[in-house]
Amino acid sequence: MTVHHPTTQTEGHRYDVIVAGGGNAALTAALAAHDAGARVLVLEAASRELRGGNSRFTGAIFRVTHDGLDSLKPILDPSNEQWYPRVAVAPYSSEDYAADWNRTSEGRQDPDLVRITIERSFETVQWMHSKGVKWELTANKLVDPSKVDDGTTITLAPGGALRTLHEGVGLIDDLYAAVEATDIEVWYDSPAHDLIATGSTVHGIRVRTGAEFVDVFGTVILGCGGFESNPEMRLRYLGPGWDLVKVRGTRFNMGQMHTKSIAAGAQPVGHWGGAHAVPIDAAAPPIGDLRLTDKMSRYSYPYALLLNRDGRRFIDEGEDNVFLTYAKTGWAVRAQPGGIAYQIFDQKTAHLLEPRYSTGTPVVADTLEELADKLGVNKRGMLQTVADYNAAVAPDAEDRADPFALDGVSAEPVGQPAKSNWARTITEGPFVCYPVMCGITFTYGGIKIDGDARVITQEGQPMTGLYATGEITGGFFFHNYGAGAGLVRGAVFGRIAGTNAAAESHVGSAAAQAPVAERETAGVAS
């Protein structure tokens, strides 16, 4: 791989395929295009040190179909063998995957795009494995195994059982190693600024550098993320208060190519008022920090009571497996007074906190009264809420509780949300509390693509020379999200986009085959 820092727009750069973005979706597209024989350029807005987009910050779960643990073993890193006697992984069928997607997106998802994502999910991680991406089980993701009895079987959520080794950092390291083993060029500090187009035909990308613009020509793949890092766009599309939320990932996803591609004729689609947003530590930095990646996330709330400043519960903490509720729970937290909430555990559940909680500083108190004083919440409201909740918990709840499965141990306190699973009394001090706020991961609204990853115009026709994958595409997620579906979506359609863009570049439209000097006179879409 050649790392090039462009200095002049007069060089007349031409490639078969140009990929805007530097994360999972973009790099899988680049690798697929290279496999198909294309000369490829990757445009990464970040520096080499900060490269990788949101993917580098992720917990890196890949939601794929599989037939259970034995079917996953061929792609798992040898270090996983220690977990085989301790874990149980049920099969995850296409039907299960589709049902989870339909439930979380309330039936609004594009059925064809989702079907392709599901059908090609496992073959895609196998392909990534062939490129050097290493995989592991999520055995220590939501629980600290050292705090669980050796004889206890850790049941992994079937759709959340697989992730890349060393999470997002490992994912990006492995993908860039694969890219660097080829002649794919990567330009750092080179954000895509605009499309070079005439009508609905795209000829290339205008790149913004520190000194000037550089025009590069070829078939374009947009894999440059959502608009979650842009407070102006968050406020505009997500609503009041969203300009103030914390950003879990990269600072570089500013939505520039959302705006420019739509101005060039791409069709906007999907849930523009929706986003993946989770509870994170209230002390988390305002934007993603690579020293922490996703370690400030707080996902053990199914074992807690989640209260607001008024001392009231506001969600069913045990509604479902956390991997199917976490991406909407941040919305519920953001809607509370002050945009803050409190996860309260007692000593019956404190050992179930996932390892990431070690990055935070809990508020600890021997009594609930003392805890309320330390938190500054409404004491009377909090004590009444906990008392009413405790009264609704079944006397044999502790005997029936199973922290690793939907145990059906429920409570229906009067005047509060029900707790559908993992309902235990909160009685045994010292009590442990983690204040949390909303952290946005990525946005759901984007541009429309078809099953070939071609960008579709506002008139319903494919745009010649333009493909897209990942968070810039819309129509996949609405309201909520199943953990790991986003990375899979990006990789599946990254492969499709790369393969098809390479084929189009080789066939070549009349515009693509025009002399460079002639093409450089093409207008930049505004």
Side-chain angles (χ1 to χ4, degrees):
M1 177 193 72
T2 302
V3 179
H4 178 70
H5 298 275
T7 58
T8 173
Q9 68 180 60
T10 62
E11 295 179 39
H13 301 292
R14 178 160 47 182
Y15 297 83
D16 295 324
V17 174
I18 306 160
V19 182
N24 167 70
L27 297 181
T28 51
L31 289 166
H34 182 269
D35 283 353
R39 180 175 178 238
V40 182
L41 170 66
V42 172
L43 301 172
E44 167 60 285
S47 65
R48 184 185 180 94
E49 293 71 28
L50 299 178
R51 69 185 183 182
N54 263 357
S55 303
R56 194 166 169 192
F57 291 86
T58 182
I61 290 174
F62 276 66
R63 181 172 291 262
V64 300
T65 60
H66 58 82
D67 293 324
L69 178 58
D70 286 343
S71 70
L72 296 174
K73 286 180 180 178
I75 65 170
L76 293 175
D77 187 78
S79 62
N80 285 262
E81 293 179 6
Q82 63 176 310
W83 298 116
Y84 295 165
R86 296 198 62 186
V87 302
V89 185
Y92 194 57
S93 68
S94 296
E95 293 76 18
D96 293 334
Y97 201 154
D100 284 341
W101 206 316
N102 191 61
R103 184 167 70 256
T104 53
S105 284
E106 301 182 15
R108 291 179 173 270
Q109 69 279 7
D110 183 304
D112 291 331
L113 299 181
V114 168
R115 174 184 54 79
I116 292 168
T117 304
I118 293 172
E119 289 178 352
R120 298 190 61 172
S121 60
F122 191 68
E123 70 174 68
T124 297
V125 299
Q126 290 176 307
W127 174 79
M128 294 174 71
H129 176 65
S130 75
K131 296 296 184 186
V133 176
K134 296 178 283 294
W135 301 93
E136 67 179 350
L137 296 170
T138 58
N140 60 349
K141 177 72 173 178
L142 293 179
V143 68
D144 184 345
S146 68
K147 297 181 180 178
V148 178
D149 293 339
D150 288 344
T152 301
T153 297
I154 301 173
T155 303
L156 305 184
L162 184 71
R163 70 180 177 190
T164 53
L165 186 67
H166 305 307
E167 300 180 298
V169 172
L171 169 64
I172 290 302
D173 284 349
D174 289 347
L175 286 174
Y176 271 103
V179 165
E180 289 163 358
T182 72
D183 60 358
I184 295 171
E185 288 191 40
V186 180
W187 292 1
Y188 295 106
D189 301 301
S190 300
H193 177 74
D194 206 347
L195 296 173
I196 302 171
T198 52
S200 295
T201 297
V202 173
H203 308 289
I205 287 184
R206 173 156 286 183
V207 184
R208 178 170 54 83
T209 73
E212 56 190 338
F213 294 118
V214 178
D215 291 348
V216 290
F217 297 93
T219 302
V220 173
I221 301 173
L222 299 178
C224 42
F227 59 83
E228 69 279 349
S229 305
N230 186 330
E232 186 274 333
M233 290 185 73
R234 293 200 308 268
L235 177 63
R236 190 190 334 163
Y237 292 112
L238 304 183
W242 281 91
D243 51 331
L244 302 178
V245 301
K246 296 174 184 286
V247 177
R248 295 179 66 210
T250 180
R251 70 189 65 186
F252 296 98
N253 285 0
M254 300 297 289
Q256 174 78 356
M257 296 311 292
H258 281 71
T259 301
K260 295 296 188 178
S261 60
I262 291 170
Q267 183 178 153
V269 71
H271 192 181
W272 282 76
H276 177 309
V278 307
I280 64 172
D281 198 284
I287 201 158
D289 186 332
L290 286 172
R291 294 170 297 181
L292 296 168
T293 61
D294 77 332
K295 297 302 187 289
M296 298 300 276
S297 301
R298 301 290 176 252
Y299 296 165
S300 295
Y301 60 83
Y303 311 126
L305 288 188
L306 193 53
L307 275 58
N308 63 18
R309 278 183 177 173
D310 296 329
R312 299 183 182 277
R313 291 178 60 231
F314 52 92
I315 64 166
D316 178 351
E317 301 93 341
E319 174 189 350
D320 206 333
N321 181 282
V322 68
F323 288 148
L324 297 175
T325 64
Y326 77 129
K328 69 175 184 178
T329 299
W331 282 78
V333 170
R334 205 221 65 75
Q336 301 312 302
I340 193 167
Y342 306 89
Q343 296 180 0
I344 299 176
F345 305 86
D346 75 353
Q347 291 305 303
K348 294 191 296 295
T349 57
H351 68 289
L352 295 173
L353 296 183
E354 60 169 307
R356 287 184 290 193
Y357 279 70
S358 64
T359 61
T361 302
V363 179
V364 180
D366 291 329
T367 67
L368 289 171
E369 290 85 354
E370 179 188 1
L371 183 63
D373 287 337
K374 286 186 173 183
L375 296 176
V377 304
N378 184 306
K379 182 189 295 188
R380 178 175 297 180
M382 175 176 154
L383 296 178
Q384 189 65 56
T385 293
V386 176
D388 291 346
Y389 166 80
N390 285 341
V393 175
D396 64 344
E398 189 64 32
D399 296 332
R400 295 188 290 121
D402 181 354
F404 303 116
L406 296 174
D407 59 13
V409 178
S410 62
E412 297 185 4
V414 176
Q416 299 180 28
K419 188 166 187 179
S420 300
N421 295 279
W422 307 294
R424 303 182 184 187
T425 57
I426 303 293
T427 55
E428 295 184 15
F431 300 94
V432 178
C433 176
Y434 286 83
V436 294
M437 301 184 80
C438 173
I440 188 169
T441 310
F442 67 86
T443 45
Y444 294 158
I447 55 177
K448 184 175 180 62
I449 60 171
D450 65 10
D452 292 320
R454 298 178 298 181
V455 174
I456 303 302
T457 68
Q458 293 154 24
E459 297 74 43
Q461 301 299 316
M463 294 185 72
T464 300
L466 186 61
Y467 296 78
T469 181
E471 295 170 9
I472 196 171
T473 62
F476 289 87
F477 306 116
F478 295 76
H479 304 294
N480 193 16
Y481 163 90
L487 285 170
V488 170
R489 177 265 308 266
V492 166
F493 278 93
R495 286 185 73 199
I496 293 171
T499 301
N500 291 338
E504 180 173 331
S505 73
H506 291 157
V507 172
S509 66
Q513 293 180 351
V516 171
E518 179 180 329
R519 291 167 65 195
E520 286 184 344
T521 65
V524 176
S526 58

